[in-house]
Amino acid sequence: MGNAAYDALAAIGTRAQLADSPKPVDVLYAFMNDITVKLSQSTSETAEPPKNTSYLYSYGMQGKSTLTHASEKAVESYFQLYHLLIVMATDRPKIAEEANARIKRFLDGERDKTACPNLGHLLVTLLITDTSTSNPVDLTKAIIKEAVTRNVVWMLDARGANMPELSYMEPSETSPYRLQKSFEASKTSYTLLVFAHLMLKTVTDPSPSPTTPTNTTTTTPKNLTEIRTDLFARHGAPPPGAAANLAAEIRNIQRVKTFPAFLMAMDVPMPTQAAFTQFLRGPVREKGARGDGC
């Protein structure tokens, strides 16, 4: 990529008011995260059309659900930006190095809104980071913990979810009420995390690429240069079936209404109810210390 392309991205970011002088890669992070947000919003109330409605379509036409259509648009857009991100990261290795450093700082405890303004952007950086240096589950747990912490102010405030009763620390070891209401208070936030996690899995799915023989099984994660080669071979397009798979997963996401289901969707094992109750109480106790609710 030439300097003109980087300048164009920076100019787009400025016009979009992402920052006064946004870095080109941060513009991509923002746009890719925005696709996730829009997909979540567009499918929040979407369902497949009822059965026996073939009469609604002309002869030879096949009805396509709104969910599938939204998934196709999201996957196509996301993959095009993903392709651009990979090209940038291979063209300028410092971009990947900065992404690795960002993840490391987060794992080391630099997690407030000053250090990490947007958790969605952080998830996108995983696409160009060397995740072999950290446990993916540990990172996901850290992101979830930070999301829970940021949601506390909204959860308790009358202008938010208006659940001030959750500031009371129950004497019991386990609180089913806290477990359920804490999720309901910030369901949109947690749903967005699931969508972001799903998009990551969609683009990093280890299915055979056009440049890989079908009888070859690859167990070693591909480096950025190899990923770039695969994307160029497909002209940046998603692999066949990606949109359909995404639509199927979205149907599962629409059924996520509890923390156990949320953690399962995030590929994180559910702790005991007692342990998770204590986990949820922690940020409430600390809510006045940071003052950076979402």
Side-chain angles (χ1 to χ4, degrees):
M1 287 177 59
N3 290 332
Y6 288 90
D7 292 342
L9 273 174
I12 291 172
T14 301
R15 291 291 297 272
Q17 299 182 337
L18 298 179
D20 292 335
S21 299
K23 294 180 180 179
V25 69
D26 288 331
V27 176
L28 284 186
Y29 292 156
F31 285 174
M32 293 174 77
N33 183 63
D34 189 60
I35 289 172
T36 300
V37 173
K38 292 293 196 301
L39 177 63
S40 175
Q41 292 172 342
S42 66
T43 60
S44 60
E45 300 297 333
T46 301
E48 293 289 352
K51 296 180 180 180
N52 302 320
T53 56
S54 57
Y55 61 87
L56 295 174
Y57 306 100
S58 301
Y59 179 77
M61 292 179 63
Q62 184 176 9
K64 181 182 292 185
S65 72
T66 304
L67 178 57
T68 300
H69 178 71
S71 300
E72 287 178 351
K73 292 298 183 183
V75 168
E76 289 171 4
S77 301
Y78 203 87
F79 262 90
Q80 293 293 337
L81 293 175
Y82 174 51
H83 188 188
L84 184 56
L85 178 62
I86 292 295
V87 171
M88 289 176 63
T90 51
D91 183 46
R92 300 188 179 185
K94 187 177 180 180
I95 290 176
E97 293 171 4
E98 290 177 347
N100 281 319
R102 182 180 295 192
I103 295 297
K104 185 178 185 304
R105 288 194 300 270
F106 188 85
L107 286 171
D108 289 343
E110 296 183 31
R111 301 176 186 175
D112 61 19
K113 281 196 170 182
T114 300
C116 181
N118 192 300
L119 293 176
H121 295 189
L122 182 75
L123 283 166
V124 178
T125 66
L126 290 174
L127 292 170
I128 56 172
T129 56
D130 180 11
T131 55
S132 63
T133 60
S134 61
N135 186 328
V137 174
D138 288 343
L139 177 59
T140 304
K141 286 181 178 178
I143 291 172
I144 292 172
K145 181 178 181 180
E146 181 59 25
V148 169
T149 299
R150 295 187 184 191
N151 288 337
V152 166
V153 173
W154 169 267
M155 178 178 72
L156 301 178
D157 196 276
R159 294 167 295 181
N162 193 25
M163 296 183 181
E165 70 275 13
L166 292 175
S167 62
Y168 170 69
M169 297 293 112
E170 310 92 334
S172 59
E173 187 177 49
T174 301
S175 172
Y177 183 87
R178 181 178 297 278
L179 290 171
Q180 184 58 35
K181 291 301 180 180
S182 295
F183 182 83
E184 292 177 3
S186 303
K187 183 177 183 294
T188 299
S189 172
Y190 299 129
T191 300
L192 282 175
L193 280 182
V194 175
F195 268 89
H197 183 67
L198 174 58
M199 293 303 288
L200 288 178
K201 292 200 298 183
T202 298
V203 299
T204 57
D205 178 63
S207 56
S209 68
T211 60
T212 304
T214 55
N215 60 348
T216 300
T217 302
T218 304
T219 56
T220 303
K222 295 181 179 180
N223 60 40
L224 295 180
T225 301
E226 292 171 327
I227 294 173
R228 182 187 62 182
T229 299
D230 287 348
L231 287 168
F232 270 119
R234 295 200 308 267
H235 304 287
N245 292 337
L246 181 63
E249 290 294 334
I250 289 173
R251 294 186 192 96
N252 293 329
I253 291 175
Q254 291 172 332
R255 292 191 286 268
V256 172
K257 301 182 186 301
T258 63
F259 270 122
F262 164 69
L263 293 177
M264 181 180 294
M266 295 293 289
D267 297 315
V268 172
M270 177 68 187
T272 64
Q273 286 196 358
F276 205 72
T277 297
Q278 293 303 316
F279 168 75
L280 292 174
R281 285 171 178 159
V284 176
R285 292 191 181 99
E286 301 165 3
K287 73 180 180 68
R290 285 176 31 173
D292 67 341
C294 61

